[in-house]
Amino acid sequence: MRVSVIRKNVKFMPDSSRVVARFFVNGDERTQKLLNRIMALEEKQVGLALEQTLREFASRHRNISRIFFKHCDNIRRVIEGMEINYSQLSDERKMLIGSYCTSEYSIESAAFFNPSLISDLDQLSLENGEQRVILSFRATGEGHISSIVFRRGILDANNDMKVMATGSHMDTPEITHKKLYDKSRFVKKLKEMSILEKYSTNLMEALPEKFEYYALKRAVDRVLNDATISADRRMALEEVTWLADSFYDVAFKRDSDISERVLFPVSESESNGIEDARFVRFTDDDMNEKIYATYTAYNGHTILPKLLSTDDFYTFRVMPLHGNGALNKNLALFPKKIKGKYAMLARVDGVNNYLMYSDRNTVWNSPVIIQEPRFPWEFTQIGNCGSPIWTEEGWLVISHGVGPMRRYCIGASLFDLDDPSKEIGRLEEPLLSPLEQEREGYVPNVVYSCGAMIHNASLILPYAVSDYASTYGVVDMAELFYALKKR
């Protein structure tokens, strides 16, 4: 049975004008030569060069002088290593040095896709039938580096969405690394990442049971400075640092609009991208609410599933997920506990849907298969398209299936509320397949979502169009339930 989907005429398109100013260096040797040229300038020449730079770029960034100071401070070690008195440099020369250590990166130039949708925590000042929502997207730029960006909108009584205007400047957050690490948990995660003990044991034995980030960083750097160590050991020790880098807090300025905030990769564990964030509005047993998102960090050869949390979309805590179920991609947290435990969907083997329970939202073990590919359009693999949605009829799971020619379609299933390992029903045909005009893009023949919601007795389903742009569709819940429960 086919279920009707009303595709809405709202397009979220990549915008190459949305840029961030990121740190840029070409290694110590070239940086030293660059610094020699800058230090040879007279102060008047420094002021003129800086003024020309600010004239071209100040309007494109919020407080770019602050960025220049920060990026100059990033190479303070190199500057002082050249026997230059850092404290005696003029502010203008520091900013000019920082400008040479800065480059613009267009975060959306390649694609704007894999949307996730949740209800906003603020529902004041709305008309009857309206709901304020927050959308997240995977924005991809040069080199396929992905980040998380946001939009705010209002759904009306007809399920039409009014998207709020985007801000004019992108804002990257201040980053604070976690203060202390638990050695036993850290060692377990190293094993899960398949880092050989022979490369990490001596390093970890020298650290106390609770250690600071910079203590580990210094210990690793001392070993890496030895040019004679093997390539395998060097890679293993770098991955130790990447794991420590993956714990951090970020905070955005309060005067930034949500559309201006970008969670850009900040640690080595995610240097090649932050992929497919699945946001969920989580309600705890005491009825307190928090926003969580699972996502995949990728550094070019290692995948690290991570969890971020926020109360306000200004401050975020980022943590790696642990356990033998915290593998691969496609983890999605249930919006509330089941029988006192957190619950998570996963695709541990890359093919099937799994279910896990845990007392802690960062430790996941003992995954159990609850779905395998059944229909031809999902024979290659099946996975979730975001967190399960609670309904009186059961847990509604929006899924994706991959079939011939690696075509991605979106499906739906219904699971028992008390025991979501029990499937009540599954659509035999896709809920959503790529239309002819949706087939072309960054990755052809793909429709994909990272999270839907219910509004006015309708499923609001945002989805990516061939991994290039995004839109959304609307499904009548009564029709969907009828199809899911029809035997």
Side-chain angles (χ1 to χ4, degrees), residues 371-428:
Q371 273 189 324
E372 299 178 74
R374 183 189 303 171
F375 307 113
W377 57 273
E378 59 185 17
F379 274 178
T380 300
Q381 69 186 50
I382 186 172
N384 70 74
C385 273
S387 291
I389 302 169
W390 184 93
T391 74
E392 291 183 352
E393 304 291 338
W395 289 108
L396 177 62
V397 173
I398 307 302
S399 61
H400 67 266
V402 182
M405 296 297 293
R406 198 172 173 262
R407 187 178 78 149
Y408 276 69
C409 297
I410 293 176
S413 303
L414 196 64
F415 291 86
D416 186 84
L417 286 176
D418 294 323
D419 183 3
S421 67
K422 296 179 180 178
E423 184 183 279
I424 297 171
R426 189 194 310 192
L427 296 184
E428 294 183 8

Side-chain angles (χ1 to χ4, degrees), residues 143 185 200 251 296 312 321 379 479 484:
R185 290 183 61 203
S200 62
T296 304
D312 53 14
L321 295 176
F379 274 178
E479 182 182 353
L484 285 168

Side-chain angles (χ1 to χ4, degrees), residues 2 19 26 95-96 114 135 139 155 161 180 189 193 207 233 247 266 311 342 416 433 462 476:
R2 275 283 183 183
V19 295
N26 272 318
M95 280 192 285
L96 184 61
N114 293 3
L135 298 106
L155 287 165
M161 186 184 299
L180 288 175
K189 189 62 185 177
M193 294 171 65
L207 294 169
R233 189 181 184 197
F247 295 84
V266 299
D311 295 314
Y342 293 99
D416 186 84
S433 302
D476 180 75

Side-chain angles (χ1 to χ4, degrees), residues 202-213:
N202 290 341
L203 183 73
M204 299 309 297
E205 285 179 347
L207 294 169
E209 290 305 309
K210 301 286 186 181
F211 60 90
E212 293 184 340
Y213 167 78

Side-chain angles (χ1 to χ4, degrees), residues 301-321:
H301 59 86
T302 300
I303 289 173
L304 183 63
K306 299 177 80 169
L307 180 75
L308 64 80
S309 63
T310 183
D311 295 314
D312 53 14
F313 284 89
Y314 285 103
T315 59
F316 296 82
R317 170 153 290 181
V318 180
M319 301 159 286
L321 295 176

Side-chain angles (χ1 to χ4, degrees), residues 284-348:
D284 215 332
D285 291 341
D286 59 6
M287 301 309 293
N288 284 329
E289 290 188 302
K290 199 174 191 69
I291 306 297
Y292 288 109
T294 52
Y295 72 88
T296 304
Y298 182 57
N299 63 16
H301 59 86
T302 300
I303 289 173
L304 183 63
K306 299 177 80 169
L307 180 75
L308 64 80
S309 63
T310 183
D311 295 314
D312 53 14
F313 284 89
Y314 285 103
T315 59
F316 296 82
R317 170 153 290 181
V318 180
M319 301 159 286
L321 295 176
H322 305 264
N324 57 33
L327 304 171
N328 217 302
K329 300 182 178 183
N330 242 232
L331 281 80
L333 186 69
F334 280 67
K336 63 179 183 177
K337 292 180 179 179
I338 299 175
K339 297 180 179 178
K341 291 183 179 291
Y342 293 99
M344 181 84 82
L345 292 180
R347 197 184 64 213
V348 178

Side-chain angles (χ1 to χ4, degrees), residues 199-369:
Y199 295 136
S200 62
T201 299
N202 290 341
L203 183 73
M204 299 309 297
E205 285 179 347
L207 294 169
E209 290 305 309
K210 301 286 186 181
F211 60 90
E212 293 184 340
Y213 167 78
Y214 290 105
L216 174 67
K217 191 77 165 60
R218 285 192 297 269
V220 172
D221 286 346
R222 280 196 295 270
V223 181
L224 291 179
N225 286 334
D226 182 358
T228 65
I229 67 172
S230 68
D232 286 345
R233 189 181 184 197
R234 181 175 295 275
M235 178 65 72
L237 291 174
E238 286 175 347
E239 288 185 340
V240 171
T241 307
W242 295 342
L243 179 57
D245 280 336
S246 68
F247 295 84
Y248 58 88
D249 294 339
V250 300
F252 289 93
K253 297 290 190 299
R254 299 294 294 190
D255 63 353
S256 65
D257 182 71
I258 193 170
S259 66
E260 297 177 312
R261 300 170 211 153
V262 54
L263 290 169
F264 194 77
V266 299
S267 70
E268 286 295 335
S269 66
E270 58 196 25
S271 57
N272 276 51
I274 298 173
E275 301 181 358
D276 302 347
R278 287 157 160 76
F279 278 82
V280 61
R281 185 166 162 173
F282 183 88
T283 304
D284 215 332
D285 291 341
D286 59 6
M287 301 309 293
N288 284 329
E289 290 188 302
K290 199 174 191 69
I291 306 297
Y292 288 109
T294 52
Y295 72 88
T296 304
Y298 182 57
N299 63 16
H301 59 86
T302 300
I303 289 173
L304 183 63
K306 299 177 80 169
L307 180 75
L308 64 80
S309 63
T310 183
D311 295 314
D312 53 14
F313 284 89
Y314 285 103
T315 59
F316 296 82
R317 170 153 290 181
V318 180
M319 301 159 286
L321 295 176
H322 305 264
N324 57 33
L327 304 171
N328 217 302
K329 300 182 178 183
N330 242 232
L331 281 80
L333 186 69
F334 280 67
K336 63 179 183 177
K337 292 180 179 179
I338 299 175
K339 297 180 179 178
K341 291 183 179 291
Y342 293 99
M344 181 84 82
L345 292 180
R347 197 184 64 213
V348 178
D349 57 8
V351 177
N352 306 295
N353 259 335
Y354 287 76
L355 173 68
M356 300 178 285
Y357 294 103
S358 179
D359 293 320
R360 297 172 59 180
N361 59 16
T362 56
V363 181
W364 297 96
N365 291 295
S366 305
V368 175
I369 289 181

